[in-house]
Amino acid sequence: QLVEKIMRDRDPIVVAMANFECLGVGGPFVWANGSNEKMKQLAHRVAREKQLELTDHTINGVSADSLSFERVGIPSLTIDGLPLEKLRGIIHTENDNFSAVVPERFEAAYKLAIELALAMDKSF
């Protein structure tokens, strides 16, 4: 709601949004059914060019911060680090702590985030 209010009240200053959720358990993954097609293509292009890991997955019945941006016409993308088989067993449970983080998975997501931010700066 806040994003929608900001966009109604002023000229758009945000032209794209990348949201990173729950990094470091697995992945990184593109939340395919919750991300804009142009942004997904950009993320996969970056991953290919920089030889970084990135896989799509579909998650139903959840939401992400990126959807508020998409609703007001701002291309958005969510990248997460939770394999589907661990989604319900970790997030918002007693297992949702640093012991779930695999440093190599977090590093892979971090590298992707940096390269994606640089590519977004050039693309939008």
Side-chain angles (χ1 to χ4, degrees):
Q1 293 168 340
L2 177 60
V3 171
E4 292 168 0
K5 181 180 180 346
I6 290 169
M7 295 306 293
R8 275 193 312 270
D9 293 349
R10 59 181 10 194
D11 292 332
I13 56 172
V14 178
V15 295
M17 189 268 201
N19 180 48
F20 294 87
E21 298 269 356
C22 305
L23 301 178
V25 178
F29 304 102
V30 170
W31 180 30
N33 59 319
S35 296
N36 172 275
E37 189 61 35
K38 181 178 179 180
M39 292 289 288
K40 286 190 294 188
Q41 290 175 6
L42 178 62
H44 282 289
R45 188 191 87 220
V46 167
R48 274 191 315 276
E49 288 175 0
K50 301 298 181 179
Q51 299 180 341
L52 300 171
E53 298 175 48
L54 186 61
T55 306
D56 284 4
H57 67 180
T58 300
I59 306 174
N60 295 309
V62 299
S63 186
D65 295 329
S66 57
L67 295 179
S68 298
F69 290 83
E70 195 65 41
R71 277 196 296 274
V72 295
I74 297 171
S76 65
L77 168 82
T78 291
I79 293 181
D80 70 87
L82 273 178
L84 295 177
E85 67 273 6
K86 294 186 177 185
L87 180 66
R88 303 285 182 231
I90 292 179
I91 194 166
H92 304 302
T93 73
E94 66 277 357
N95 300 320
D96 195 350
N97 59 58
F98 284 115
S99 69
V101 175
V102 178
E104 294 81 13
R105 298 295 90 224
F106 188 83
E107 182 180 7
Y110 178 80
K111 288 177 181 178
L112 178 64
I114 291 170
E115 295 297 341
L116 181 58
L118 292 169
M120 288 172 63
D121 188 49
K122 293 176 185 174
S123 298
F124 289 94

Coordinates of all heavy atoms in Angstrom, one line a residue, residues 15-90:
V15 N 12.4 2.6 -11.1 CA 12.1 2.1 -12.4 C 12.1 0.6 -12.4 O 11.6 0.0 -13.4 CB 13.0 2.7 -13.5 CG1 12.8 4.2 -13.6 CG2 14.5 2.4 -13.1
A16 N 12.7 -0.1 -11.4 CA 12.7 -1.6 -11.4 C 13.1 -1.9 -9.9 O 13.6 -1.1 -9.2 CB 13.8 -2.1 -12.3
M17 N 12.8 -3.2 -9.6 CA 13.0 -3.6 -8.2 C 13.4 -5.1 -8.2 O 12.8 -5.9 -8.8 CB 11.7 -3.4 -7.4 CG 11.9 -3.7 -5.9 SD 11.6 -5.3 -5.4 CE 11.2 -5.1 -3.7
A18 N 14.5 -5.4 -7.4 CA 14.9 -6.7 -7.2 C 14.8 -7.0 -5.7 O 15.4 -6.3 -4.9 CB 16.3 -7.0 -7.7
N19 N 14.1 -8.0 -5.4 CA 13.9 -8.4 -4.0 C 14.6 -9.7 -3.7 O 14.6 -10.6 -4.5 CB 12.3 -8.6 -3.8 CG 12.0 -9.0 -2.4 OD1 12.4 -8.4 -1.4 ND2 11.1 -10.1 -2.3
F20 N 15.3 -9.7 -2.6 CA 16.1 -10.9 -2.2 C 15.5 -11.5 -0.9 O 15.5 -10.7 0.1 CB 17.6 -10.6 -2.1 CG 18.2 -10.2 -3.5 CD1 18.1 -8.9 -3.9 CD2 18.7 -11.2 -4.3 CE1 18.6 -8.6 -5.2 CE2 19.2 -10.9 -5.5 CZ 19.2 -9.6 -6.0
E21 N 15.1 -12.7 -0.9 CA 14.5 -13.3 0.2 C 15.2 -14.6 0.7 O 15.6 -15.4 -0.2 CB 13.0 -13.8 -0.1 CG 12.1 -12.7 -0.5 CD 11.3 -12.1 0.6 OE1 11.5 -12.6 1.8 OE2 10.6 -11.1 0.4
C22 N 15.4 -14.8 1.9 CA 15.8 -16.1 2.5 C 17.0 -16.6 1.8 O 17.0 -17.8 1.5 CB 14.7 -17.1 2.5 SG 13.2 -16.5 3.3
L23 N 18.1 -15.9 1.6 CA 19.2 -16.3 0.9 C 20.1 -17.2 1.8 O 20.2 -17.1 3.0 CB 20.1 -15.1 0.5 CG 19.3 -14.1 -0.4 CD1 20.3 -13.0 -0.8 CD2 18.8 -14.8 -1.7
G24 N 20.8 -18.2 1.1 CA 21.8 -18.9 1.7 C 21.5 -20.4 2.1 O 22.4 -21.1 2.4
V25 N 20.2 -20.8 2.0 CA 19.9 -22.2 2.3 C 20.2 -23.0 1.0 O 20.7 -24.1 1.1 CB 18.5 -22.3 2.8 CG1 18.1 -23.8 3.0 CG2 18.3 -21.5 4.0
G26 N 19.8 -22.5 -0.1 CA 20.0 -23.2 -1.4 C 20.0 -22.1 -2.5 O 20.1 -21.0 -2.2
G27 N 19.8 -22.6 -3.7 CA 19.7 -21.7 -4.8 C 21.0 -20.9 -5.1 O 22.1 -21.5 -4.9
P28 N 20.9 -19.8 -5.7 CA 19.7 -18.9 -5.8 C 18.7 -19.3 -6.8 O 19.0 -19.9 -7.8 CB 20.3 -17.5 -6.1 CG 21.6 -17.8 -6.8 CD 22.1 -19.1 -6.2
F29 N 17.4 -18.9 -6.5 CA 16.3 -19.3 -7.4 C 15.6 -18.0 -7.8 O 15.4 -17.1 -7.0 CB 15.3 -20.2 -6.7 CG 15.9 -21.4 -6.1 CD1 16.2 -21.5 -4.8 CD2 16.1 -22.5 -7.0 CE1 16.7 -22.7 -4.3 CE2 16.6 -23.7 -6.4 CZ 16.9 -23.8 -5.1
V30 N 15.0 -17.9 -9.0 CA 14.1 -16.9 -9.4 C 12.7 -17.4 -9.0 O 12.3 -18.5 -9.4 CB 14.1 -16.6 -10.9 CG1 13.0 -15.7 -11.3 CG2 15.5 -15.9 -11.2
W31 N 11.9 -16.6 -8.3 CA 10.5 -17.0 -8.1 C 9.8 -16.7 -9.4 O 9.3 -15.6 -9.6 CB 10.0 -16.2 -6.9 CG 8.5 -16.4 -6.6 CD1 7.9 -17.6 -6.7 CD2 7.6 -15.5 -6.0 NE1 6.6 -17.5 -6.3 CE2 6.4 -16.2 -5.8 CE3 7.7 -14.2 -5.6 CZ2 5.3 -15.6 -5.3 CZ3 6.6 -13.6 -5.1 CH2 5.4 -14.3 -4.9
A32 N 9.7 -17.7 -10.2 CA 9.2 -17.6 -11.6 C 7.8 -17.0 -11.7 O 7.5 -16.2 -12.6 CB 9.4 -18.9 -12.3
N33 N 6.9 -17.5 -10.9 CA 5.5 -17.0 -11.0 C 5.2 -15.8 -10.2 O 4.1 -15.3 -10.2 CB 4.5 -18.2 -10.6 CG 4.7 -18.6 -9.2 OD1 5.9 -18.8 -8.7 ND2 3.6 -18.9 -8.5
G34 N 6.2 -15.2 -9.6 CA 6.1 -13.9 -8.9 C 7.0 -12.9 -9.4 O 7.3 -11.9 -8.6
S35 N 7.5 -13.0 -10.6 CA 8.5 -12.1 -11.1 C 8.1 -11.6 -12.5 O 7.6 -12.4 -13.3 CB 9.9 -12.7 -11.1 OG 10.3 -13.0 -9.8
N36 N 8.5 -10.4 -12.9 CA 8.3 -9.9 -14.2 C 9.2 -10.6 -15.2 O 10.3 -10.8 -15.0 CB 8.6 -8.4 -14.1 CG 8.6 -7.7 -15.4 OD1 9.6 -7.7 -16.1 ND2 7.5 -7.0 -15.7
E37 N 8.6 -10.8 -16.4 CA 9.3 -11.5 -17.4 C 10.6 -10.8 -17.9 O 11.6 -11.4 -18.0 CB 8.4 -11.7 -18.7 CG 9.0 -12.7 -19.7 CD 9.2 -14.1 -19.2 OE1 8.5 -14.6 -18.3 OE2 10.3 -14.7 -19.6
K38 N 10.6 -9.5 -18.0 CA 11.7 -8.7 -18.4 C 12.8 -8.9 -17.4 O 14.0 -9.1 -17.7 CB 11.4 -7.3 -18.7 CG 12.6 -6.4 -19.1 CD 12.1 -5.0 -19.3 CE 13.3 -4.1 -19.7 NZ 12.9 -2.7 -20.0
M39 N 12.5 -8.8 -16.1 CA 13.4 -8.9 -15.0 C 14.0 -10.4 -15.0 O 15.2 -10.5 -14.7 CB 12.8 -8.5 -13.7 CG 12.5 -7.0 -13.6 SD 14.0 -6.0 -13.5 CE 14.4 -6.4 -11.8
K40 N 13.1 -11.3 -15.2 CA 13.6 -12.7 -15.2 C 14.7 -12.9 -16.3 O 15.7 -13.5 -16.1 CB 12.5 -13.7 -15.4 CG 11.6 -13.9 -14.2 CD 10.6 -15.1 -14.4 CE 9.6 -14.8 -15.4 NZ 8.6 -15.9 -15.5
Q41 N 14.4 -12.4 -17.5 CA 15.3 -12.5 -18.6 C 16.6 -11.8 -18.3 O 17.7 -12.4 -18.6 CB 14.7 -12.0 -19.9 CG 13.6 -12.8 -20.4 CD 12.9 -12.2 -21.6 OE1 13.3 -11.1 -22.1 NE2 11.8 -12.8 -22.0
L42 N 16.6 -10.7 -17.7 CA 17.8 -9.9 -17.3 C 18.6 -10.7 -16.3 O 19.8 -10.9 -16.4 CB 17.4 -8.6 -16.7 CG 18.6 -7.7 -16.3 CD1 19.5 -7.4 -17.4 CD2 18.1 -6.4 -15.6
A43 N 17.9 -11.3 -15.3 CA 18.6 -12.1 -14.3 C 19.3 -13.3 -14.9 O 20.5 -13.6 -14.5 CB 17.7 -12.5 -13.2
H44 N 18.6 -14.0 -15.8 CA 19.2 -15.2 -16.4 C 20.4 -14.8 -17.3 O 21.4 -15.5 -17.4 CB 18.2 -16.0 -17.1 CG 17.4 -16.8 -16.1 ND1 17.9 -17.9 -15.5 CD2 16.1 -16.7 -15.7 CE1 17.0 -18.4 -14.7 NE2 15.9 -17.7 -14.8
R45 N 20.2 -13.7 -18.0 CA 21.3 -13.2 -18.9 C 22.5 -12.9 -18.1 O 23.7 -13.3 -18.4 CB 20.9 -12.0 -19.7 CG 21.9 -11.6 -20.7 CD 21.7 -10.2 -21.4 NE 22.3 -9.3 -20.5 CZ 21.8 -8.1 -20.2 NH1 20.7 -7.7 -20.7 NH2 22.5 -7.3 -19.4
V46 N 22.4 -12.2 -17.0 CA 23.5 -11.9 -16.1 C 24.1 -13.2 -15.6 O 25.4 -13.3 -15.6 CB 23.0 -11.0 -14.9 CG1 24.0 -10.9 -13.8 CG2 22.6 -9.6 -15.4
A47 N 23.3 -14.1 -15.1 CA 23.9 -15.3 -14.6 C 24.7 -16.1 -15.7 O 25.8 -16.6 -15.4 CB 22.7 -16.2 -14.1
R48 N 24.1 -16.1 -16.9 CA 24.9 -16.8 -18.0 C 26.2 -16.1 -18.3 O 27.3 -16.7 -18.3 CB 24.0 -16.8 -19.2 CG 23.1 -18.0 -19.4 CD 22.5 -18.1 -20.8 NE 22.0 -16.8 -21.3 CZ 20.8 -16.3 -21.1 NH1 20.0 -16.9 -20.3 NH2 20.5 -15.2 -21.7
E49 N 26.1 -14.8 -18.4 CA 27.3 -14.0 -18.8 C 28.4 -14.1 -17.7 O 29.6 -14.1 -18.0 CB 26.9 -12.6 -19.1 CG 26.2 -12.4 -20.3 CD 25.7 -10.9 -20.5 OE1 26.0 -10.1 -19.7 OE2 25.0 -10.7 -21.6
K50 N 28.0 -14.1 -16.5 CA 29.0 -14.1 -15.4 C 29.2 -15.5 -14.8 O 29.9 -15.6 -13.8 CB 28.5 -13.2 -14.2 CG 28.2 -11.7 -14.7 CD 29.5 -11.1 -15.1 CE 29.3 -9.7 -15.6 NZ 30.6 -9.0 -16.0
Q51 N 28.6 -16.5 -15.5 CA 28.8 -17.9 -15.1 C 28.4 -18.1 -13.6 O 29.1 -18.7 -12.8 CB 30.2 -18.4 -15.4 CG 30.5 -18.3 -16.8 CD 31.9 -18.8 -17.2 OE1 32.8 -18.9 -16.3 NE2 32.1 -19.2 -18.4
L52 N 27.2 -17.6 -13.3 CA 26.7 -17.7 -11.9 C 25.5 -18.6 -11.9 O 24.8 -18.7 -12.9 CB 26.3 -16.3 -11.4 CG 27.4 -15.3 -11.3 CD1 26.8 -13.9 -11.0 CD2 28.4 -15.7 -10.3
E53 N 25.2 -19.2 -10.8 CA 24.1 -20.1 -10.7 C 22.8 -19.3 -10.6 O 22.7 -18.3 -9.9 CB 24.2 -20.9 -9.4 CG 25.5 -21.8 -9.4 CD 25.6 -22.5 -8.0 OE1 24.6 -23.1 -7.6 OE2 26.7 -22.5 -7.5
L54 N 21.8 -19.8 -11.2 CA 20.4 -19.3 -11.1 C 19.4 -20.3 -11.7 O 19.6 -20.7 -12.9 CB 20.3 -17.9 -11.8 CG 19.0 -17.2 -11.6 CD1 18.7 -16.9 -10.1 CD2 18.9 -15.9 -12.4
T55 N 18.4 -20.7 -11.0 CA 17.4 -21.6 -11.4 C 16.0 -21.0 -11.1 O 15.9 -20.3 -10.1 CB 17.6 -22.9 -10.6 OG1 18.9 -23.4 -10.8 CG2 16.6 -24.0 -11.2
D56 N 15.1 -21.3 -11.9 CA 13.7 -20.9 -11.7 C 13.0 -21.9 -10.8 O 13.3 -23.1 -10.8 CB 12.9 -20.8 -13.0 CG 13.2 -19.6 -13.8 OD1 14.1 -18.8 -13.4 OD2 12.5 -19.4 -14.8
H57 N 12.1 -21.4 -10.0 CA 11.1 -22.3 -9.3 C 9.8 -21.6 -9.1 O 9.8 -20.4 -9.1 CB 11.7 -23.0 -8.1 CG 11.9 -22.1 -6.9 ND1 12.4 -22.6 -5.7 CD2 11.8 -20.8 -6.7 CE1 12.6 -21.7 -4.8 NE2 12.2 -20.6 -5.4
T58 N 8.8 -22.4 -9.0 CA 7.4 -21.8 -8.8 C 7.0 -22.1 -7.4 O 7.1 -23.2 -6.8 CB 6.5 -22.5 -9.8 OG1 6.9 -22.3 -11.1 CG2 5.1 -22.0 -9.6
I59 N 6.6 -21.0 -6.7 CA 6.0 -21.1 -5.4 C 4.6 -20.6 -5.4 O 4.4 -19.4 -5.8 CB 6.9 -20.3 -4.4 CG1 8.4 -20.7 -4.5 CG2 6.4 -20.5 -2.9 CD1 9.3 -19.9 -3.6
N60 N 3.7 -21.4 -4.9 CA 2.3 -20.9 -4.8 C 1.9 -20.7 -3.4 O 2.5 -21.2 -2.5 CB 1.4 -22.0 -5.4 CG 1.6 -22.2 -6.9 OD1 1.7 -21.2 -7.7 ND2 1.9 -23.4 -7.3
G61 N 1.0 -19.8 -3.2 CA 0.4 -19.5 -1.9 C 1.3 -18.6 -1.0 O 1.1 -18.6 0.2
V62 N 2.2 -17.9 -1.6 CA 3.0 -16.9 -0.8 C 3.0 -15.6 -1.5 O 2.5 -15.4 -2.6 CB 4.5 -17.5 -0.7 CG1 4.5 -18.8 0.0 CG2 5.2 -17.6 -2.0
S63 N 3.6 -14.6 -0.8 CA 3.7 -13.3 -1.4 C 5.2 -12.8 -1.2 O 5.9 -13.4 -0.5 CB 2.7 -12.3 -0.7 OG 2.8 -11.1 -1.3
A64 N 5.5 -11.7 -1.8 CA 6.8 -11.1 -1.6 C 6.7 -9.6 -1.8 O 5.7 -9.1 -2.4 CB 7.8 -11.6 -2.6
D65 N 7.6 -8.8 -1.3 CA 7.6 -7.4 -1.3 C 7.6 -6.9 -2.8 O 7.1 -5.8 -3.1 CB 8.9 -6.8 -0.6 CG 8.8 -7.1 0.9 OD1 7.7 -7.2 1.4 OD2 9.9 -7.2 1.4
S66 N 8.1 -7.6 -3.7 CA 8.2 -7.2 -5.1 C 6.8 -7.1 -5.7 O 6.6 -6.3 -6.7 CB 9.0 -8.2 -5.9 OG 8.5 -9.5 -5.8
L67 N 5.8 -7.8 -5.2 CA 4.5 -7.7 -5.8 C 3.9 -6.3 -5.7 O 3.1 -5.9 -6.6 CB 3.6 -8.8 -5.2 CG 4.0 -10.2 -5.5 CD1 3.1 -11.2 -4.8 CD2 4.2 -10.5 -7.0
S68 N 4.2 -5.6 -4.7 CA 3.6 -4.2 -4.6 C 4.1 -3.3 -5.7 O 3.4 -2.5 -6.2 CB 4.1 -3.6 -3.2 OG 3.5 -4.3 -2.2
F69 N 5.4 -3.5 -6.1 CA 6.0 -2.8 -7.2 C 5.3 -3.2 -8.5 O 5.0 -2.3 -9.3 CB 7.5 -2.9 -7.2 CG 8.2 -2.3 -6.0 CD1 8.2 -2.9 -4.8 CD2 8.7 -1.0 -6.1 CE1 8.9 -2.3 -3.7 CE2 9.3 -0.4 -5.1 CZ 9.4 -1.0 -3.8
E70 N 5.2 -4.4 -8.7 CA 4.6 -4.9 -10.0 C 3.2 -4.4 -10.1 O 2.8 -4.1 -11.3 CB 4.6 -6.5 -10.0 CG 4.4 -7.1 -11.3 CD 5.5 -6.8 -12.3 OE1 6.7 -6.8 -12.0 OE2 5.1 -6.5 -13.5
R71 N 2.4 -4.3 -9.1 CA 1.0 -3.9 -9.1 C 0.9 -2.4 -9.7 O -0.1 -2.1 -10.2 CB 0.3 -4.0 -7.8 CG -0.2 -5.3 -7.5 CD -1.2 -5.3 -6.3 NE -0.6 -4.9 -5.1 CZ 0.0 -5.7 -4.2 NH1 0.1 -7.0 -4.5 NH2 0.5 -5.3 -3.1
V72 N 2.0 -1.6 -9.4 CA 1.9 -0.2 -9.9 C 2.8 -0.1 -11.2 O 3.1 1.1 -11.6 CB 2.4 0.8 -8.8 CG1 1.4 0.7 -7.7 CG2 3.8 0.5 -8.3
G73 N 3.1 -1.2 -11.8 CA 3.8 -1.1 -13.1 C 5.3 -1.0 -13.1 O 5.9 -0.7 -14.1
I74 N 5.9 -1.3 -12.0 CA 7.3 -1.3 -11.9 C 7.8 -2.7 -12.0 O 7.5 -3.6 -11.2 CB 7.8 -0.7 -10.5 CG1 7.4 0.8 -10.4 CG2 9.3 -0.8 -10.4 CD1 7.6 1.4 -9.1
P75 N 8.6 -3.0 -13.0 CA 9.1 -4.4 -13.2 C 9.9 -4.8 -12.0 O 10.7 -4.1 -11.4 CB 10.1 -4.3 -14.4 CG 9.7 -3.0 -15.1 CD 9.2 -2.1 -14.1
S76 N 9.5 -6.0 -11.5 CA 10.1 -6.5 -10.3 C 10.5 -8.0 -10.4 O 10.0 -8.7 -11.3 CB 9.2 -6.3 -9.1 OG 8.0 -7.1 -9.3
L77 N 11.3 -8.4 -9.5 CA 11.9 -9.8 -9.5 C 12.1 -10.2 -8.1 O 12.5 -9.3 -7.2 CB 13.2 -9.7 -10.3 CG 14.1 -10.9 -10.2 CD1 13.6 -12.0 -11.2 CD2 15.5 -10.5 -10.5
T78 N 11.8 -11.4 -7.7 CA 12.2 -12.0 -6.4 C 13.2 -13.1 -6.6 O 12.9 -14.0 -7.4 CB 11.0 -12.4 -5.6 OG1 10.3 -11.3 -5.2 CG2 11.4 -13.1 -4.3
I79 N 14.3 -13.0 -6.0 CA 15.3 -14.1 -5.9 C 15.3 -14.6 -4.5 O 15.4 -13.8 -3.6 CB 16.7 -13.6 -6.4 CG1 16.6 -13.3 -7.9 CG2 17.7 -14.7 -6.1 CD1 17.8 -12.8 -8.5
D80 N 15.2 -15.9 -4.4 CA 15.2 -16.5 -3.0 C 16.3 -17.6 -2.9 O 16.8 -18.0 -3.9 CB 13.8 -17.0 -2.6 CG 13.4 -18.2 -3.4 OD1 13.7 -19.3 -2.9 OD2 12.7 -18.0 -4.4
G81 N 16.4 -18.1 -1.7 CA 17.4 -19.1 -1.5 C 16.8 -20.3 -0.8 O 17.6 -21.1 -0.1
L82 N 15.5 -20.5 -0.9 CA 14.9 -21.7 -0.2 C 14.4 -22.7 -1.2 O 13.5 -22.5 -1.9 CB 13.7 -21.2 0.6 CG 13.9 -20.7 2.0 CD1 12.7 -20.2 2.7 CD2 14.6 -21.8 2.9
P83 N 15.1 -23.8 -1.2 CA 14.5 -24.9 -2.0 C 13.1 -25.3 -1.6 O 12.8 -25.2 -0.4 CB 15.5 -26.1 -1.7 CG 16.7 -25.5 -1.1 CD 16.2 -24.2 -0.5
L84 N 12.3 -25.6 -2.5 CA 10.9 -25.9 -2.2 C 10.7 -26.9 -1.1 O 9.8 -26.7 -0.2 CB 10.1 -26.3 -3.5 CG 10.0 -25.3 -4.6 CD1 9.3 -25.9 -5.8 CD2 9.3 -24.1 -4.1
E85 N 11.5 -27.9 -1.0 CA 11.4 -28.9 0.0 C 11.7 -28.4 1.4 O 11.4 -29.0 2.4 CB 12.2 -30.2 -0.3 CG 13.7 -30.0 -0.3 CD 14.3 -29.5 -1.6 OE1 13.6 -29.1 -2.6 OE2 15.6 -29.4 -1.7
K86 N 12.4 -27.3 1.5 CA 12.7 -26.7 2.8 C 11.9 -25.5 3.1 O 12.0 -24.9 4.2 CB 14.2 -26.3 2.8 CG 15.1 -27.5 2.7 CD 16.5 -27.1 2.9 CE 17.4 -28.4 2.9 NZ 18.8 -28.1 3.2
L87 N 11.0 -25.0 2.2 CA 10.2 -23.8 2.4 C 9.4 -23.9 3.7 O 9.4 -23.0 4.5 CB 9.3 -23.6 1.2 CG 8.4 -22.4 1.2 CD1 9.2 -21.1 1.2 CD2 7.4 -22.4 0.1
R88 N 8.6 -24.9 3.9 CA 7.8 -25.0 5.0 C 8.5 -25.5 6.3 O 8.1 -25.2 7.4 CB 6.6 -26.0 4.8 CG 5.8 -25.6 3.6 CD 4.9 -24.4 3.8 NE 4.1 -24.1 2.6 CZ 3.9 -23.0 2.1 NH1 4.5 -21.9 2.6 NH2 3.2 -22.8 1.0
G89 N 9.7 -26.1 6.1 CA 10.4 -26.6 7.3 C 11.4 -25.6 7.9 O 11.9 -25.9 9.0
I90 N 11.6 -24.5 7.3 CA 12.5 -23.5 7.8 C 11.9 -22.2 8.1 O 11.9 -21.7 9.2 CB 13.8 -23.3 6.9 CG1 14.6 -24.6 6.8 CG2 14.6 -22.2 7.3 CD1 15.8 -24.6 6.0

